[in-house]
Amino acid sequence: MNVLLDYLPEFRDGFLGTLAITASAALLALVLGVLIAGFRVSPVPPLRAFGTAWVTVLRNTPLTLLFLVAFFVVPQILFQGASPYVLATLALGFYTSSFVCEAVRSGITTVPLGQAEAARSLGMSFPQTLRLVVLPQATRTVIPPLSSIIIALTKNSAIAGAFGYGELFNVSKLLNDRGYPIAWIFLWTALAYLVITFAVSGLFRLLERRLGVAR
Amino acid sequence: MSGASVLYDVPGPKAKARNRVYSVIGALAVLGLIAFAFLRLDAKGQLDPEVWRIFNYAGVRTSIRDGVLTTLQVFAVAAVLSLVLGLLLTVARLSDHKPIRWLATGFIELFRAVPLLITIYALWVILLTNRDALGLTGSQPQFWALVAGLTVYNGSVQAEVLRAGINAVPKGQKEAAYALGLSKTQVMTTVLLPQAVRAMLPTIISQLVVTLKDTSLGYIITFEELLYTARLMSTNIIVNGNDTYIPVIIVIGSIYVAMCLALSALATWIERRGRRARTGIRVGAAAEPVAAADAAESAEAPAGTKD
C-alpha cells in the first residue's frame, strides 16, 4: 500500500508514459497496417509480395528481437540520437502493423461483392473504390479485432520499459530496486494496466455502437 | 486471393497493360528499398566478408545451437504445462460449484490482463529472493520464472480457447451423454473435451506460436536463451572495430521466423485435415495467432459454427 502513496509521482509518470507510447505506436501501426493491407489486396504482384513478406516476417519475429533491432541497429544504420520513445514507437508500431494489416484485410473480404461492383460500374477507380466504398464498410467489421490488437499493444509496451523508456514496467523495476515488496508493486501495476485496457475496450465498444449499421 | 474479387474485376487487355506498368513501378520501388538497405549496410561495412565469416567459427555455432536448445527447452516445458493448466482452468471454470468457478475466472482474467513481462519479472524477483530456501542454483530462478510466467499467461488464454470449443459442441451431445447415464466427469472427459480439443486444435497451436515467441522475454530477465546469446555474441565479437549486431540479428531472426513458421504450418495442416473429415464438429480456422493478445476474444465466436 505504501509503495503507491510514497511514489505517486513515479507511478503517475509511468502511467502517462505507458499511455503515450501506446498511443503513438497505435497511430503508427494503424497507418502502416492500412497501407500494407492496401498493398496486399492490390492488383500489382510486387506490392502484394512485399505485403505478404512484411506480414510473415513481422508476425513471426519475437517483439523483443525487434526492440533489439530498434535500439542497436537502427541508430547504427539509419539515424543516430533518437530518443528511446521514438525507437520504442518504431518497434511496437512495426510489430503491431502486421496484425492490423491482417485484421483490415479480413475486414475487406467481408464487404459484399456487389458493393464494389456497383462502385466500379459508377466509374470509380481502384483507389476511389477502396477509399469511398470498401474501407468505410470494412472499418465496422475490423473494430472488434482491432480492439484486442490495441489491448495487446498496451501490454506489449511493457517491453519498452526494459529498454530504458520510462513507463509502468520501468517504474516497477525501479521501486523493486529500492527494496519495496514485489507483490504490492505487481498488484498496483496490474491495476494500472487493467484501467488502461478497460478504457480501450470501452472506447472501442462505444465506437462499435456509433458506427454499427444494420446490414 | 479472395480479396481480389471484391476489389476489382478480372482485368481486360487495357487494365492488364496498366497493371504491368504498375508492376514495373512497384517492383522498382521495392527493389529500390532493398538496394537502399544494402547500400546503408555496405556503407557501414556490414557486408564485408570478414563480418560474415564469424559464422564459420565453431564457438559461434555452438553458442547459437545452445541458444536454440535452451529456447526449445523452455518452450517445451512451458507448452506442456500451459496446456495442462488450460485444461484444469477450463474444467474449473465450467464447474457447478460457484467458488471454484469464481476462482478460475479471477485467475484467468488477472493473468490475461497483466503484461506477461511484468508477471515474469515479479516471479523472477520472488524466486531470486527465496533462492536458497527453494534450493535453486545458477540460472534456475530465471528458467522457472520464465516457464511459470509463460504457463500462467498462456494457460489462461488456452483455457478460454478450450471453453469456446466446449461451447461450440452441439448441446444434444451433452444431453445424450447424460441420458445414457454418464457421470459429470465422464461427460466432460469422453464427450465434450475430445471434441473441443479437436475443433480448437489449430487455434491452440497458433497460441503455441505465441508461447514460442514469448520465450524471448527471457532475454530481459537475463536467462540465456537464443536472444540473450545473440546479444552476448554481438557485443563480444568485434570485427573491424564494429560490434556484429547486424549479421547476428539477421541470422537469429531467421531462426525464430523459421521455427514459428514451422509451427504455423502444422496448424494449417491440421486445419486442412480436419476440414476434409466431415465428422463431428468442424475444426476452427488456423492462423490469426491473435498477437500476444486475447486469443479468447477472437475464439469467442464458436469456431464450430463458423462458415
Side-chain angles (χ1 to χ4, degrees), chain B residues 116-199:
Chain B
L116 179 52
L117 177 58
I118 288 184
T119 312
I120 291 177
Y121 181 76
L123 286 167
W124 180 45
V125 172
I126 291 172
L127 286 183
L128 266 188
T129 42
N130 299 314
R131 184 167 30 180
D132 299 326
L134 292 166
L136 295 171
T137 52
S139 65
Q140 272 176 330
Q142 280 95 321
F143 177 83
W144 286 113
L146 189 56
V147 166
L150 286 170
T151 300
V152 291
Y153 174 73
N154 288 294
S156 305
V157 176
Q158 301 281 22
E160 290 294 270
V161 172
L162 272 176
R163 195 169 63 98
I166 285 179
N167 286 338
V169 177
K171 225 168 130 198
Q173 299 267 342
K174 194 166 138 193
E175 287 163 0
Y178 277 125
L180 285 174
L182 297 184
S183 70
K184 246 179 1 194
T185 322
Q186 279 176 319
V187 172
M188 187 54 91
T189 53
T190 62
V191 177
L192 294 181
L193 272 179
Q195 300 196 62
V197 169
R198 190 175 172 285

Side-chain angles (χ1 to χ4, degrees), chain A:
Chain A
M1 189 69 203
N2 282 334
V3 194
L4 182 68
L5 297 178
D6 291 354
Y7 286 90
L8 205 55
E10 275 85 352
F11 263 109
R12 193 198 53 215
D13 289 349
F15 188 75
L16 292 179
T18 295
L19 279 185
I21 195 85
T22 306
S24 57
L27 195 68
L28 178 65
L30 283 179
V31 172
L32 272 177
V34 172
L35 185 72
I36 302 290
F39 281 6
R40 283 206 76 175
V41 297
S42 83
V44 184
L47 292 185
R48 237 166 29 214
F50 179 74
T52 313
W54 179 283
V55 170
T56 312
V57 170
L58 284 178
R59 267 217 313 202
N60 288 295
T61 313
L63 182 56
T64 328
L65 182 72
L66 289 183
F67 266 95
L68 219 60
V69 172
F71 278 78
F72 296 105
V73 175
V74 167
Q76 224 181 89
I77 302 248
L78 289 176
F79 41 81
Q80 278 178 326
S83 65
Y85 176 70
V86 174
L87 295 176
T89 302
L90 281 180
L92 277 170
F94 271 64
Y95 178 76
T96 312
S97 76
S98 63
F99 294 94
V100 174
C101 166
E102 286 307 88
V104 171
R105 197 170 68 105
S106 63
I108 287 174
T109 54
T110 61
V111 175
L113 197 65
Q115 295 281 330
E117 281 172 352
R120 274 199 298 277
S121 50
L122 286 175
M124 285 187 182
S125 65
F126 173 70
Q128 274 177 325
T129 315
L130 197 60
R131 193 164 53 86
L132 296 173
V133 178
V134 176
L135 277 186
Q137 300 191 62
T139 311
R140 285 178 201 127
T141 8
V142 168
I143 282 175
L146 218 51
S147 146
S148 40
I149 289 172
I150 302 288
I151 288 176
L153 171 64
T154 314
K155 294 190 291 173
N156 283 335
S157 72
I159 299 178
F163 283 83
Y165 171 70
E167 48 76 77
L168 281 166
F169 175 65
N170 202 277
V171 170
S172 58
K173 230 167 59 170
L174 179 99
L175 296 185
N176 177 60
D177 288 346
R178 296 198 183 158
Y180 282 92
I182 190 76
W184 281 111
I185 302 174
F186 177 80
L187 274 182
W188 288 122
T189 349
L191 206 67
Y193 275 102
L194 269 175
V195 168
I196 300 180
T197 49
F198 267 124
V200 169
S201 64
L203 197 72
F204 271 92
R205 213 165 302 130
L206 199 75
L207 264 179
E208 209 176 327
R209 220 171 358 191
R210 272 290 181 77
L211 296 175
V213 190
R215 279 223 196 103

Side-chain angles (χ1 to χ4, degrees), chain A residues 59 64 77 116 120 155, chain B residues 6-7 9 40 112 213 216:
Chain A
R59 267 217 313 202
T64 328
I77 302 248
R120 274 199 298 277
K155 294 190 291 173
Chain B
V6 184
L7 289 169
D9 285 318
R40 293 297 304 180
R112 254 180 6 141
K213 272 168 40 175
S216 70

Side-chain angles (χ1 to χ4, degrees), chain B residues 63-82:
Chain B
S63 348
I64 293 181
R65 192 201 59 203
D66 290 348
V68 172
L69 286 182
T70 21
T71 289
L72 287 179
Q73 202 184 347
V74 172
F75 169 65
V77 180
V80 171
L81 288 180
S82 69

